[in-house]
Amino acid sequence: MDSSLYREQIIDLYEHPLHYGELDPHDFSYEEDNPLCGDVIRIDVRLNEENRISDVKWSGDGCAISQASASLLTDEIVGMTLDEVKSFSKETLLELLGVPLSMARVKCALLSLKVLKAGAYGLPDPDAMRKSEE
């Protein structure tokens, strides 16, 4: 697929995102932002009895790259175990996007993966951590 088709896919995913919304109840949820550009992503995950992802939703706001990346990532991880999610590589996500990105845009593209892994590893919410340090 050439890069113009990938660009069209990114715009389409931005306008018609996959797995967009919130899950309630969920087994874990995590949200974070990229303070440099203002992108915000939240991911909610529900696991089945085999500890595989049975449903996932994301919500947030930001550029087309961060939003398309969240759509592609959440579509890709349905059915995965937490160990598979923890080993999901940034290279795999960037390959799914399929367009060359500047370093600043790579941060946008990887925000959803950072959020997903933070939730999967059970890291505390950064806002809660900041409040407890005050």
Side-chain angles (χ1 to χ4, degrees), residues 5-125:
L5 290 175
Y6 279 111
R7 283 189 203 91
E8 288 175 28
Q9 177 189 24
I10 288 169
I11 297 302
D12 186 54
L13 289 169
Y14 180 72
E15 293 173 350
H16 310 285
L18 307 171
H19 304 279
Y20 192 84
E22 294 183 7
L23 280 179
D24 188 23
H26 51 262
D27 291 297
F28 69 83
S29 179
Y30 197 79
E31 179 177 320
E32 195 164 324
D33 67 344
N34 180 344
L36 299 175
C37 66
D39 292 348
V40 177
I41 298 286
R42 170 188 163 140
I43 295 180
D44 300 331
V45 174
R46 187 177 301 144
L47 302 171
N48 64 19
E49 59 281 345
E50 298 164 354
N51 281 326
R52 291 188 173 275
I53 295 175
S54 61
D55 201 0
V56 59
K57 298 285 185 195
W58 71 273
S59 57
D61 193 32
C63 69
I65 295 291
S66 72
Q67 306 296 280
S69 175
S71 282
L72 291 167
L73 177 63
T74 53
D75 199 48
E76 193 75 11
I77 63 168
V78 172
M80 286 187 176
T81 65
L82 287 181
D83 286 339
E84 291 169 331
V85 164
K86 290 175 182 178
S87 66
F88 197 96
S89 73
K90 63 182 183 181
E91 293 80 14
T92 301
L93 183 54
L94 294 173
E95 189 176 300
L96 287 171
L97 277 170
V99 294
L101 301 170
S102 67
M103 282 309 294
R105 302 305 263 169
V106 167
K107 284 190 172 250
C108 297
L110 296 179
L111 179 59
S112 59
L113 183 60
K114 179 181 178 185
V115 167
L116 176 67
K117 286 191 175 194
Y121 279 101
L123 297 178
D125 180 78

Side-chain angles (χ1 to χ4, degrees), residues 117-134:
K117 286 191 175 194
Y121 279 101
L123 297 178
D125 180 78
D127 291 332
M129 284 176 34
R130 284 186 215 118
K131 288 177 186 172
S132 70
E133 293 171 355
E134 294 174 355

